[in-house]
Amino acid sequence: MAAVDPITVEVIGSALTSIVEEMGEALVRASYSTNIKERRDCSTALFDASGNTLCQAEHIPMHLGSFIGIIPHIMKRNRLEDLHPGDVFIGNDAYEGGATHLPDIVLAEPIFFSQTLVGWAVNTAHHADFADRGSAHIYQEGLRIPALKLMSDGRYNETLIQLIRLNVRTPDYFMGD
């Protein structure tokens, strides 16, 4: 394989950085809760098709811990041929591939080029409604969500949406975020 020149590396790196920074700004602008809109307790990143980090925005670096397990876990539980444009996965359970604690909810969307999976767009946001329920065990912290398909071919999984809405105190804010 031929070596890539430093200028090309810098151009590509800057382009990836711009993408994840814009992803983060879009997330903040679209959010409903003050936890995300004002405190900016969220992060965005891009991963390659295997789940290796390509670039993470400089929002909250600690969120990388919320990201690094989600793609391998999704790929372990889903066949490649079952992934399509418009699919989005949600997860927050550290024991099931996502997040460092339950309030940090991760969304991951596969990116395709010519019907080939080439990467993943991922974000996480700290949802205040999942906190302050106690800390004696994980079940007090909130609803555990393994990496599940939130959207399939651009359509919401309404059963999962209903389950989540019923387990938060402020469902409109939560679902808006």
Side-chain angles (χ1 to χ4, degrees):
M1 177 189 285
V4 180
D5 66 275
I7 294 172
T8 302
V9 171
E10 189 63 31
V11 168
I12 293 170
S14 293
L16 293 174
T17 299
S18 292
I19 291 168
V20 294
E21 290 293 336
E22 286 299 317
M23 287 168 56
E25 291 304 316
L27 176 60
V28 168
R29 281 193 308 273
S31 69
Y32 284 52
S33 70
T34 56
N35 210 40
I36 299 166
K37 187 172 277 307
E38 294 177 16
R39 290 186 56 231
R40 303 174 72 87
D41 194 350
C42 58
S43 292
T44 55
L46 290 172
F47 291 83
D48 69 12
S50 300
N52 299 305
T53 307
L54 296 174
C55 190
Q56 180 181 0
E58 294 184 19
H59 295 114
I60 299 179
M62 185 175 81
H63 281 154
L64 181 58
S66 296
F67 291 151
I68 58 175
I70 193 85
I71 305 306
H73 192 71
I74 290 169
M75 297 304 291
K76 182 175 68 175
R77 297 182 64 193
N78 296 271
R79 298 179 316 158
L80 184 59
E81 55 269 17
D82 293 334
L83 300 177
H84 306 286
D87 290 351
V88 176
F89 291 83
I90 185 172
N92 72 340
D93 190 347
Y95 298 104
E96 293 291 325
T100 52
H101 67 149
L102 297 184
D104 285 343
I105 296 178
V106 180
L107 296 177
E109 182 173 358
I111 301 169
F112 291 88
F113 179 76
S114 297
Q115 305 301 318
T116 301
L117 177 67
V118 295
W120 292 84
V122 181
N123 75 59
T124 191
H126 183 101
H127 293 264
D129 194 27
F130 263 46
D132 300 323
R133 295 182 185 185
S135 59
H137 50 76
I138 194 168
Y139 301 104
Q140 289 178 310
E141 193 174 332
L143 180 66
R144 291 175 66 186
I145 306 169
L148 298 173
K149 207 179 262 195
L150 179 67
M151 295 183 79
S152 183
D153 294 321
R155 291 183 304 278
Y156 280 103
N157 176 340
E158 293 298 333
T159 303
L160 182 55
I161 295 287
Q162 185 179 20
L163 175 70
I164 294 170
R165 285 185 66 86
L166 289 172
N167 282 279
V168 296
R169 293 172 287 207
T170 55
D172 292 336
Y173 276 103
F174 185 88
M175 298 312 295
D177 286 343

